[in-house]
Amino acid sequence: MLTTFMTAIAVLALLFVMMSIKIVHQGFRYTIEHFGRFVRVAQPGFNFVPPFFYRVGRKINMMEQVLDIPGQEIITKDNAMVAVDGVVFFQVLDAAKAAYEVSDLYSALMALSTTNLRTVMGSMDLDETLSKRDEINARLLVVVDQATEAWGVKITRVEVKDIRPPQDISNAMARQMKAEREKRANILDAEGFRQAAILKAEGDKQSRILEAEGRKEATFRDAEAREREAMAEAEATRVVSDAIAGGNAQAINYFIAQKYVEAVAEFARSPNAKTILFPVEATQLIGSLGGIGEIAKQALGGDSPPKAPAPNKGTSAGRGAPPALPGVPRVEG
């Protein structure tokens, strides 16, 4: 009997010790209650909690957690209905407060985030809700974090995942975006045409300037050429005048014959002139060609060239045909 009793006592002691050992995993905290009253928080690792007198109250997750905010319909300031959903990142800093200051931590966080999301987005226009997500997240973070501070919870981040406006508003926004893009495209096209017109005008201006400078330079060169030609003519006239003043009348005959030959050559080059008719007085000028031979004789010191043959006796009223000259077409009276 004694042996059986001692065995039973040993078994009960072993069960008591086994029931008293509590292993808390890393990232968790256990609240220990003594007859229903909170006494301490069990840290991660080995903890001795005598049964019957103490018990584990709540197992609190101390890691950062994510709470999904379900999609909900929100009316904005300009009476537009949008569907919004988001997420809340939070972390429990005080296990005792999280266990005993709020009845259901997750439900409380869900309700708090939902109501504040409605409040914040309801005070903004539709365009602001679509373009100012960072501002919405910051305002929600401040409001929800202040409300959960008494629960020993730290709100680390609040993010709006999606904002879905109604289909008709989405279509209107798409048309507005298309019109805005077309407007910018037209502005860019106009800017391109403007720049092209400016560049073309600049090119025309430079072309006209260069053309005017070319005409100016050509006019200057022409004037200089005419001036030199006039100087040459003046010098030739002076030489002829000096020759005439010195008693040499053949010089003037030379110039007359030269102009005559040039005129006859111009007549000969005409494509449709086969026969050239001169007046009677013009034939008498051919006799001045003999002055050319006299001048050549004086210049070269040689014998005088042969005289021109006498005019034909058969011509009426003394109208003789001029002698044929080399390079000069035959003239018919």
Side-chain angles (χ1 to χ4, degrees):
M1 290 292 296
L2 182 59
T3 303
T4 303
F5 179 75
M6 293 300 293
T7 302
I9 293 298
V11 171
L12 290 176
L14 181 61
L15 290 175
F16 180 81
V17 171
M18 292 178 63
M19 294 177 62
S20 300
I21 296 174
K22 300 297 181 181
I23 304 298
V24 180
H25 297 283
Q26 183 66 37
F28 287 85
R29 302 290 188 275
Y30 293 176
T31 60
I32 306 301
E33 299 176 354
H34 177 63
F35 292 111
R37 182 174 64 86
F38 169 74
V39 290
R40 66 185 180 89
V41 176
Q43 300 297 321
F46 177 82
N47 290 271
F48 185 78
V49 181
F52 308 113
F53 302 101
Y54 296 90
R55 73 181 186 89
V56 175
R58 302 285 182 87
K59 297 179 179 180
I60 306 299
N61 187 351
M62 304 297 292
M63 295 179 288
E64 186 172 3
Q65 304 175 65
V66 181
L67 180 65
D68 285 327
I69 301 176
Q72 52 188 313
E73 300 289 337
I74 298 177
I75 301 177
T76 61
K77 185 178 179 180
D78 52 352
N79 297 324
M81 184 74 69
V82 293
V84 183
D85 56 4
V87 291
V88 177
F89 296 84
F90 69 95
Q91 185 177 12
V92 178
L93 301 180
D94 192 332
K97 290 183 178 181
Y100 301 107
E101 295 294 334
V102 60
S103 175
D104 188 349
L105 179 61
Y106 294 97
S107 298
L109 288 175
M110 180 71 70
L112 185 63
S113 301
T114 302
T115 54
N116 282 279
L117 182 61
R118 289 178 178 273
T119 302
V120 171
M121 297 191 65
S123 63
M124 304 174 69
D125 295 333
L126 177 61
D127 292 338
E128 293 179 340
T129 59
L130 295 175
S131 61
K132 296 182 178 180
R133 291 196 180 190
D134 292 339
E135 181 179 346
I136 295 173
N137 296 335
R139 291 175 61 179
L140 283 174
L141 178 62
V142 172
V143 174
V144 178
D145 186 53
Q146 289 179 353
T148 58
E149 186 177 0
W151 303 340
V153 176
K154 173 65 178 177
I155 305 297
T156 58
R157 190 180 307 166
V158 178
E159 297 288 344
V160 175
K161 289 196 302 184
D162 192 15
I163 300 176
R164 298 179 298 277
Q167 188 63 36
D168 55 346
I169 296 180
S170 298
N171 295 334
M173 291 172 62
R175 292 193 299 270
Q176 180 182 3
M177 180 183 65
K178 181 179 179 181
E180 185 66 24
R181 293 184 180 276
E182 291 179 352
K183 173 185 174 183
R184 284 185 288 179
N186 293 332
I187 291 174
L188 292 176
D189 289 341
E191 286 290 335
F193 290 139
R194 175 174 174 269
Q195 291 294 331
I198 291 174
L199 293 177
K200 183 178 180 182
E202 288 290 337
D204 293 340
K205 174 183 175 183
Q206 294 295 329
S207 177
R208 288 194 295 270
I209 291 174
L210 293 176
E211 184 179 356
E213 289 180 354
R215 289 197 304 269
K216 175 183 176 183
E217 184 68 21
T219 303
F220 176 76
R221 297 297 183 185
D222 291 341
E224 185 178 4
R226 288 194 299 271
E227 180 182 1
R228 293 181 180 273
E229 184 178 358
M231 291 175 62
E233 289 288 340
E235 181 66 21
T237 304
R238 186 187 63 79
V239 173
V240 172
S241 299
D242 292 343
I244 294 172
N248 188 1
Q250 298 298 329
I252 190 65
N253 294 332
Y254 169 76
F255 278 98
I256 293 174
Q258 182 183 11
K259 296 299 182 180
Y260 175 80
V261 172
E262 291 177 357
V264 172
E266 289 295 330
F267 279 112
R269 279 194 293 266
S270 177
N272 54 3
K274 303 301 182 180
T275 303
I276 303 175
L277 300 179
F278 287 97
V280 177
E281 291 79 5
T283 60
Q284 296 177 359
L285 295 176
I286 302 176
S288 61
L289 294 176
I292 301 175
E294 295 295 334
I295 295 175
K297 178 180 178 181
Q298 294 177 4
L300 302 176
D303 296 333
S304 59
K307 295 181 179 179
N312 190 1
K313 299 290 186 176
T315 57
S316 63
R319 297 179 182 176
L325 296 177
V328 180
R330 182 175 181 83
V331 180
E332 296 180 4

